[in-house]
Structure formats: C-alpha cells, structure tokens
Amino acid sequence: MTDRDQLREAFESHEHNTPDPSAVYARVQELSQKYKRRRRGAQIAAGGVLGAGLIAGAINLPAFLPANNAAGNTAAGVPAAAPASPSADPEKQRDAQFEAYYDAGFGYDDAGRLAKIWKMSDDDRIAVKAEAGRRLLLGETLPIKPQPDAPVGEETTRPIDDARFTAFFNAGYTYTEAEKLAKIWKIADPSDAKLEAGKRLLAGQELPVKPTAEGVKEALTAKRVSKFFDTGYDVEDAVKLAKVWNLKDAWSAKVEGGKRLLAGQTLPIQP
C-alpha cells in the first residue's frame, strides 16, 4: 500500500532552502487536498507518524543562536540538545522545532533520509524532525537539502477501511500503538491492527492500549488545520487572521481558525 504521510510547504529559513513564494502557495493548495489520505496510509508503509507542524505558514523563525561550524552541521552523530532555560516550555520548544523543520521545506521522506544519516529510528520520524528542527533553530545547515516526497498514489482502500484508518489516527494513535495492539490481538501485520482498532473505535469500544498525550494533541492539531484548508482558506488568509486575533504567527491562526470552524463558528474573513 502506498505511503501517505502528510507534507508541508516551505518558506524562509536558509537561503538554499527558500522556494519561490508563489510555488509555496501552490504547494499548500495541492497538499491540503492530499492530507487526509496521506495521514491514513503513513503507517501502513511502516513510516513515521504525523508531525505536529502539518502545512506550515509562510512565517519567519528567528535564529536564536549563531550558526555552528560546518563540521558540526554534517556530523553523523546526533549531538546533545542545547540546554534550555529553566522557564522554557518543552511543548512550545517542540512545536518550534517542528515549525522550523517544515518551514525549511523538509517533509516526510526527508526525515527518513536524516534518520539513516544520524542513525536514528526510521519508525520514529517525529523525533528525527524534532532533532532537525532543533538544529535549524540553532542556525545549522542540515546534511541534506529538502526533496519532494514520493508521489501519492490514488485511493486504494475501501471506504470502510478509509473510515477505520481515519478513526484510528484521529484518536491520537500511532504506529507504535498499532504494534502493541497487533501483539495483544495476535495480528501479524500492524496495519491490520489499525483497521481492527478503527472498527472498534467506530463502534464506541475502548481499546486495550491508550494513545499518548502527544499523539492526541497532534491528532487534534491535524484535524483543525485540515479543516482550515478544507474550508477553502489559504496561507494569506491565515496571515490576515493572525493580525485580527493578535496571534504570534500564521500557523497559530490556522489552528485557531480550524478550531472555530469545527465548532460551527464563522471566521471574520471569507476564504
């Protein structure tokens, strides 16, 4: 089954990573339509789970520290994270890392390539993306340049399977939980465990394994941003909404906009 993880557009990070703004805008529109089916199939191909960033806005991320030297940028090993200040919020730090990663134009397949270089687990691409984002925020240049993800295949699942996969991921579950469920239910393929889990979730049943708090948070964020784009809004709308709502960036406006749309509210601007 084809790999269907989410992608993101890129904008302003490092000079060699900066695409044409018009290309970024076009990429947003294309990827927002592919998001749902990519999300459902991501783990079928044993890839990583969704990143928290999703379709990132065209925003500027400051370089908090000076760039490291070239040798440090391309080292195969993963260096220890820079010490955080006592008041730093771990969740906000992780969100900033994801945003830096996607804003630089990197996607799902790039995380797999970085995992090999840094000898990290390919099954935990969230950790790989966070590490890459951490380095970018330090002003480093990653050892690879962003490349387009593999083309997304056409729909190959039955509608009922589509609903089950969606239920599985929307509940905050990831490939890790699918493996655990496969062992509990004695199912050989974790992908089949996702289908069984989704079937039970749609029937209102509880699963013997709970999703992580991080997984639930990411699933909710994904749902909100997807709603924002599915309703017809784009990056420029997010920038305008950020100003109206006095939010720090366009990304926050997408999340807030999707939240309000899911609650049945109308936004102060039309798409």
Side-chain angles (χ1 to χ4, degrees), residues 171-206:
Y173 287 97
T174 68
Y175 186 75
T176 299
E177 287 79 47
E179 288 184 311
K180 295 178 181 179
L181 291 169
K183 291 180 179 179
I184 293 173
W185 293 332
K186 301 186 185 306
I187 297 176
D189 189 347
S191 295
D192 292 331
K194 294 175 198 170
L195 284 172
E196 177 62 25
K199 176 182 177 181
R200 298 190 186 197
L201 288 169
L202 290 172
Q205 301 178 28
E206 291 188 4

Side-chain angles (χ1 to χ4, degrees), residues 14-221:
H14 297 285
E15 182 175 0
H16 71 272
N17 289 336
T18 307
D20 187 290
S22 62
V24 174
Y25 180 85
R27 188 66 167 155
V28 170
Q29 306 309 313
E30 174 189 358
L31 298 185
S32 65
Q33 298 304 316
K34 295 180 180 179
Y35 164 72
K36 289 185 178 179
R37 67 175 185 267
R38 293 184 68 83
R39 175 178 173 80
R40 179 183 60 256
Q43 298 307 330
I44 302 173
V49 297
L50 279 176
L54 291 174
I55 304 174
I59 59 174
N60 292 319
L61 286 172
F64 297 112
L65 295 174
N68 291 349
N69 58 46
N73 293 346
T74 58
V78 179
S85 62
S87 60
D89 185 329
E91 289 191 3
K92 289 183 178 180
Q93 285 184 333
R94 176 59 67 90
D95 288 345
Q97 290 166 355
F98 285 138
E99 281 198 26
Y101 179 83
Y102 290 115
D103 284 350
F106 293 96
Y108 178 75
D109 291 346
D110 293 321
R113 296 164 59 206
L114 289 170
K116 292 180 180 179
I117 295 173
W118 292 335
K119 301 186 185 304
M120 298 177 69
S121 173
D122 186 64
D123 288 339
D124 189 3
R125 297 196 185 189
I126 280 185
V128 178
K129 295 172 185 177
E131 171 60 24
R134 183 188 71 80
R135 295 189 185 201
L136 289 170
L137 289 173
L138 289 175
E140 296 184 20
T141 300
L142 301 189
I144 64 171
K145 291 186 177 181
Q147 294 183 3
D149 282 358
V152 178
E154 294 302 317
E155 187 65 53
T156 58
T157 58
R158 299 177 302 164
I160 185 62
D161 290 342
D162 177 70
R164 290 170 179 173
F165 279 125
T166 299
F168 178 83
F169 287 113
N170 282 350
Y173 287 97
T174 68
Y175 186 75
T176 299
E177 287 79 47
E179 288 184 311
K180 295 178 181 179
L181 291 169
K183 291 180 179 179
I184 293 173
W185 293 332
K186 301 186 185 306
I187 297 176
D189 189 347
S191 295
D192 292 331
K194 294 175 198 170
L195 284 172
E196 177 62 25
K199 176 182 177 181
R200 298 190 186 197
L201 288 169
L202 290 172
Q205 301 178 28
E206 291 188 4
L207 305 186
V209 173
K210 299 295 183 182
T212 64
E214 182 180 14
V216 172
K217 179 183 177 182
E218 290 176 356
L220 181 58
T221 298

